[in-house]
């Protein structure tokens, strides 16, 4: 039997590669290898934070997503690939031959070498990040202290949207500061979009601090 095309990583890149390949007539067997049980639709993570969407709506299970598409799914993590033998190895101890391999393992949050990032900051990239932020919001609202502040570092699209969402959820229980090392928020956006973002930040009293680099 023909060895499968193996797609490593089930984020947007890997999942949609697998689904597109599955539409081709006479395609070889397809195998997606992804260690998590659920695909996360990351652009909706803010709505999960606020409770506007439930986990099942933005994080469907891979077995449901792939059902009926003729794509196998192995819940595992690839640990090694040998292109000379066309074999890969997984953390779960499997050895798998492939005809082609697609690497779609995405990226992981990076602290840019700033001391203390790992130990003292909170990311916004996963379901567990959302749970931790929800707990922090609850704590800030339930035990109000004078001059409570929460800082969002980076005023790109994610930073601006998260700062607005936090301000909505905190309802004045803490000041939200948005720190940006450059001269303005959304540095790569069109002027119209930047103005809209500035208005949204102002409406919520989010303090945007430009030329403010975290060292
Ligand atoms: C809060 C938030 C909002 C966003 N909003 C937008 C938006 O509105 N518009 C937009 O265009 N982009 C947005 N993005 C960015 C977008 O989500 C990413 O660009 C996209 O997820 C990248 O897809 P990817 O498949 O390359 O990687 P990822 O989504 O990171 O997926 C990689 C996958 O590979 C798996 N993996 C890693 N290592 C291995 C291994 N060794 N073996 C097997 N599997 C492995 C991981 O578990 C993961 O599931 C947002 C991101 C965030 C965090």
């Amino acid at each position: 039997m023909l060895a499968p095309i193996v797609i490593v990583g089930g984020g947007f890149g890997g999942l949609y590669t697998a689904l597109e390949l599955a539409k081709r007539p006479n395609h070889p067997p397809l195998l997606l290898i992804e260690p998590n049980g659920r695909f996360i639709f990351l652009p909706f993570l803010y709505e999960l934070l606020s409770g506007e969407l439930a986990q099942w709506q933005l994080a469907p299970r891979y077995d449901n997503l792939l059902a009926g598409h003729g794509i196998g799914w192995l819940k595992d993590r690839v640990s090694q690939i040998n292109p000379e033998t066309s074999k890969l190895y997984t953390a779960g101890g499997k050895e798998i031959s492939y005809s082609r391999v697609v690497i779609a393992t995405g990226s992981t949050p990076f602290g840019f070498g700033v001391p203390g990032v790992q130990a003292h900051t909170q990311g916004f990239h996963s379901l567990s990040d959302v749970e931790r932020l929800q707990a922090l919001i609850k704590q800030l609202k339930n035990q109000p202290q004078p001059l409570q502040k929460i800082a969002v570092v980076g005023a790109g699209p994610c930073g601006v949207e998260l700062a607005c969402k936090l301000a909505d959820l905190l309802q004045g229980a803490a000041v939200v500061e948005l720190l940006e090392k450059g001269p303005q928020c959304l540095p790569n956006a069109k002027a119209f979009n930047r103005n809209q973002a500035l208005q949204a930040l102002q409406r919520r009293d989010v303090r945007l601090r430009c030329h403010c680099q975290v060292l």
Side-chain angles (χ1 to χ4, degrees):
M1 197 174 106
L2 188 60
I5 298 179
V6 176
I7 299 113
V8 185
F12 280 105
L15 178 66
Y16 282 87
T17 300
L19 291 171
E20 282 303 315
L21 288 173
K23 290 180 192 164
R24 308 265 167 123
N26 305 320
H27 61 77
L30 299 169
L31 176 65
L32 177 71
I33 305 183
E34 162 62 49
N36 295 307
R38 292 173 182 273
F39 170 79
I40 307 177
F41 197 93
L42 287 168
F44 284 161
L45 214 53
Y46 316 95
E47 284 72 21
L48 182 66
L49 179 67
S50 61
E52 290 160 83
L53 289 177
Q55 197 185 99
W56 67 267
Q57 289 173 298
L58 86 156
R61 292 164 51 104
Y62 281 103
D63 44 10
N64 290 339
L65 280 175
L66 298 174
H69 290 280
I71 303 166
W73 169 43
L74 177 64
K75 190 173 186 292
D76 206 340
R77 179 176 290 279
V78 171
S79 53
Q80 197 189 336
I81 297 178
N82 186 340
E84 283 168 18
T85 57
S86 295
K87 284 185 178 171
L88 56 78
Y89 302 86
T90 71
K94 295 222 162 28
E95 176 186 298
I96 295 168
S97 295
Y98 60 82
S99 56
R100 303 276 171 138
V101 65
V102 178
I103 310 287
T105 48
S107 56
T108 48
F110 178 61
F112 293 98
V114 176
V117 168
Q118 292 282 356
H120 304 300
T121 67
Q122 151 81 58
F124 193 62
H125 199 254
S126 66
L127 298 178
S128 52
D129 287 338
V130 170
E131 282 169 15
R132 277 195 290 270
L133 258 187
Q134 284 171 330
L136 177 64
I137 292 165
K138 201 170 164 191
Q139 184 195 331
L140 290 169
K141 285 176 79 171
N142 287 349
Q143 299 159 2
Q145 309 276 337
L147 303 177
Q148 287 191 134
K149 284 184 184 173
I150 185 163
V152 177
V153 181
C158 283
V160 169
E161 197 163 349
L162 182 58
C164 287
K165 191 59 85 181
L166 286 171
D168 288 345
L169 293 170
L170 284 161
Q171 296 171 322
V175 171
V176 180
E177 302 224 5
L178 179 58
L179 312 183
E180 167 58 44
K181 71 173 179 176
Q184 55 191 359
C185 72
L186 299 184
N188 301 317
K190 291 183 179 152
F192 174 81
N193 292 344
R194 187 174 309 114
N195 282 335
Q196 294 293 310
L198 282 171
Q199 285 173 31
L201 293 169
Q202 277 162 9
R203 269 198 306 278
R204 293 165 172 84
D205 204 16
V206 173
R207 316 279 164 86
L208 172 63
R209 297 194 186 279
C210 295
H211 299 293
C212 183
Q213 182 168 1
V214 177
L215 297 171

